[in-house]
Amino acid sequence: MNRILHGAAPLLALGAVACDRPNPNPSPSPSKPQAAPAIAAKSIMRPAIQAEAAPVTAAPAAPTIVTIAFAYEGYALDDTARARLDRLAQASTTATATSIVIRGHTDASGSDRANLRISMARAIAVRDYLAAAKVRVPMTLVALGERRPVRPGATPDGADDPAGRAANRRVEITLR
C-alpha cells in the first residue's frame, strides 16, 4: 500500500501545482455574458452532391379552370363549347395535368332530381368529347345540380333573372 501511495505522490504533486497556476482562459464574469463566436456552417459534401440533395421548394401550380356554358335545356354541346374544348384538349396544361375534375351545374328551375341528372349528363358530354379528342388524363365527374350557383336566378325583388340562370348552366373543368 505504501508503495502505491509512494508511486502516486508525483502525480498528486503535479495536480497540486496545476491548481495553483492561473487559468489561461478565465470564465466570463456573471455580470458580462459573452456571446458565442459566430461560426459559419460549412458542409462537408461536394457541391455537386449538395445540388442533387437540395429539396425542391417550387410552389405547386394553381389549377386551371375552364367553364363551358349550356343552353336552357339539355346537355348538347354547341359550336362555342366544342371550340373551347378543342382548345383545352390541345393545350400544354392539359397534357401535363395529373387529373381532371368535371363538375356539372344547372340553374334552379326544375326538381332537384332532374337537375342532378342534367348536371351529370352535361359532365358526361364534356368527358366524352375530351376522350374523343385523345385527352388521356384521369377524369372525375361530379353532378352538383343547382347547389353551387355563381349568380342568383332572380333579381332582389323576386323577378326572374334569365342572365343569372344562364350563368349557372355550366360545366367547370379543373385541371391539376
Side-chain angles (χ1 to χ4, degrees):
M1 173 91 162
N2 206 3
R3 191 179 218 175
I4 295 174
L5 288 179
H6 181 57
L11 290 176
L12 291 175
L14 281 176
V17 171
C19 290
D20 290 340
R21 292 194 331 198
N23 186 352
N25 298 321
S27 62
S29 64
S31 62
K32 294 182 183 179
Q34 293 180 350
I39 299 173
K42 186 174 180 181
S43 175
I44 60 170
M45 293 186 346
R46 292 189 321 251
I49 302 295
Q50 283 179 331
E52 290 176 11
V56 177
T57 58
T64 301
I65 300 174
V66 175
T67 302
I68 306 296
F70 281 84
Y72 177 66
E73 290 183 6
Y75 52 89
L77 296 169
D78 61 11
D79 291 338
T80 305
R82 283 191 293 275
R84 191 142 198 207
L85 290 171
D86 287 337
R87 285 193 305 273
L88 178 65
Q90 296 169 2
S92 62
T93 54
T94 304
T96 60
T98 57
S99 68
I100 296 175
V101 179
I102 302 171
R103 292 179 180 87
H105 301 271
T106 63
D107 61 19
S109 62
S111 70
D112 289 344
R113 180 180 234 165
N115 286 337
L116 283 174
R117 269 195 322 266
I118 291 170
S119 64
M120 181 54 83
R122 290 175 178 167
I124 290 170
V126 168
R127 179 206 54 200
D128 291 350
Y129 193 88
L130 290 174
K134 308 275 190 261
V135 173
R136 301 290 181 242
V137 177
M139 293 184 244
T140 303
L141 304 179
V142 181
L144 293 167
E146 61 189 71
R147 291 186 196 137
R148 293 189 187 167
V150 289
R151 287 190 41 199
T155 60
D157 64 356
D160 185 37
D161 182 7
R165 285 190 299 109
N168 294 325
R169 293 187 299 266
R170 69 198 189 280
V171 166
E172 293 174 340
I173 306 163
T174 306
L175 284 77
R176 296 189 187 272

